Amino acid sequence: DIQMTQSPSSMSVSLGDTVTITCRASQDVGIYVNWFQQKPGKSPRRMIYRATNLADGVPSRFSGSRSGSDYSLTISSLESEDVADYHCLQYDEYPPWTFGGGTKLELK
Amino acid sequence: QVTLKESGPGILQPSQTLSLTCSFSGFSLSTYGMCVGWIRQSSGKGLEWLANIWWNDDKYYNPSLKNRLTISKDTSNNQAFLKITNMDTADTATYYCARSVGFAYWGQGTLVTVSS
């Protein structure tokens, strides 16, 4: 099974920060990585698909990138509405579909 | 507009079988390439994929739970179903259904509590 190792598990942030969250895949997953935002009590929302593509309605301060087996989600100029949990997902090789362990953003 | 909505019993006792329904609109599970998956999340924890069903009735299960899971669909009524046998307190979670291989759209989730 492919493992997605997500880091950090939590992060203390300030408004206006540039935030980067990373998932490392245990084997090649190509472009098949999505990023999701999840706010308390809500279902996950897809933010980035196929590693680098912005989903519909997602602000342009969000971006996705890939370097080898490392996949990153970057939020430029963090706004208060961005404080949430974030999850990565690989869907290149399944079953199983595998998620990263999640990253919790908290305001300082 | 794509929507999904999960429904379930809310609470059940250990050893019982959980039956979940995902009712959806805005797409058809008879469309080539379409699939619906089930994912769960225990309180304060990460996301765990459970099962997927495809337009051609192919089914995939999480190996760690495979013997307990059954996924099915009713294409005519735009529904997908998941059954989990022998529920335990450790299965207490919010259960989600989601559309497509990359889980582009999610339902609101249904909380299932297993308690005696």
Side-chain angles (χ1 to χ4, degrees):
Chain A
D1 296 356
I2 296 174
Q3 310 301 319
M4 297 296 283
T5 303
Q6 187 169 343
S7 61
S9 57
S10 65
M11 197 170 182
S12 187
V13 299
S14 299
L15 300 182
D17 281 353
T18 293
V19 172
T20 299
I21 300 164
T22 298
C23 276
R24 174 165 291 176
S26 61
Q27 57 193 80
D28 182 31
V29 296
I31 62 171
Y32 297 103
V33 171
N34 287 356
W35 287 95
F36 299 89
Q37 177 193 69
Q38 186 178 26
K39 296 184 178 180
K42 300 295 187 182
S43 55
R45 172 194 178 191
R46 188 182 66 167
M47 307 298 280
I48 300 289
Y49 66 97
R50 293 184 188 172
T52 61
N53 296 277
L54 206 61
D56 290 345
V58 174
S60 59
R61 62 182 178 274
F62 288 85
S63 63
S65 62
R66 173 193 179 188
S67 176
S69 61
D70 288 343
Y71 297 80
S72 296
L73 172 73
T74 299
I75 311 170
S76 302
S77 192
L78 186 88
E79 299 191 6
S80 57
E81 65 184 31
D82 304 333
V83 176
D85 295 340
Y86 291 86
H87 308 270
C88 64
L89 164 75
Q90 75 79 22
Y91 56 108
D92 177 64
E93 184 177 295
Y94 50 81
W97 282 251
T98 46
F99 291 91
T103 295
K104 184 178 188 66
L105 298 187
E106 297 172 304
L107 282 177
K108 286 180 183 172
Chain B
Q1 180 189 5
V2 173
T3 65
L4 303 97
K5 186 174 183 179
E6 308 84 351
S7 57
I11 188 166
L12 66 166
Q13 295 184 336
S15 79
Q16 287 187 317
T17 295
L18 171 64
S19 294
L20 297 169
T21 299
C22 175
S23 301
F24 55 83
S25 63
F27 67 98
S28 172
L29 248 182
S30 62
T31 299
Y32 179 89
M34 194 59 66
C35 68
V36 167
W38 287 93
I39 302 103
R40 71 180 179 181
Q41 185 175 37
S42 301
S43 180
K45 300 293 178 63
L47 299 164
E48 179 182 27
W49 171 76
L50 299 175
N52 263 54
I53 190 164
W54 294 81
W55 88 100
N56 60 357
D57 213 37
D58 278 353
K59 300 163 187 174
Y60 293 129
Y61 295 104
N62 188 319
S64 67
L65 291 150
K66 182 174 182 178
N67 293 338
R68 299 174 53 206
L69 302 177
T70 304
I71 193 170
S72 59
K73 61 181 172 67
D74 179 347
T75 303
S76 300
N77 288 304
N78 287 337
Q79 292 181 315
F81 310 97
L82 184 69
K83 289 188 187 296
I84 307 178
T85 60
N86 194 24
M87 290 289 283
D88 182 78
T89 55
D91 296 311
T92 292
T94 297
Y95 288 76
Y96 298 98
C97 60
R99 190 201 89 158
S100 77
V101 69
F103 305 142
Y105 298 91
W106 294 62
Q108 64 190 23
T110 186
L111 176 62
V112 175
T113 301
V114 183
S115 175
S116 54

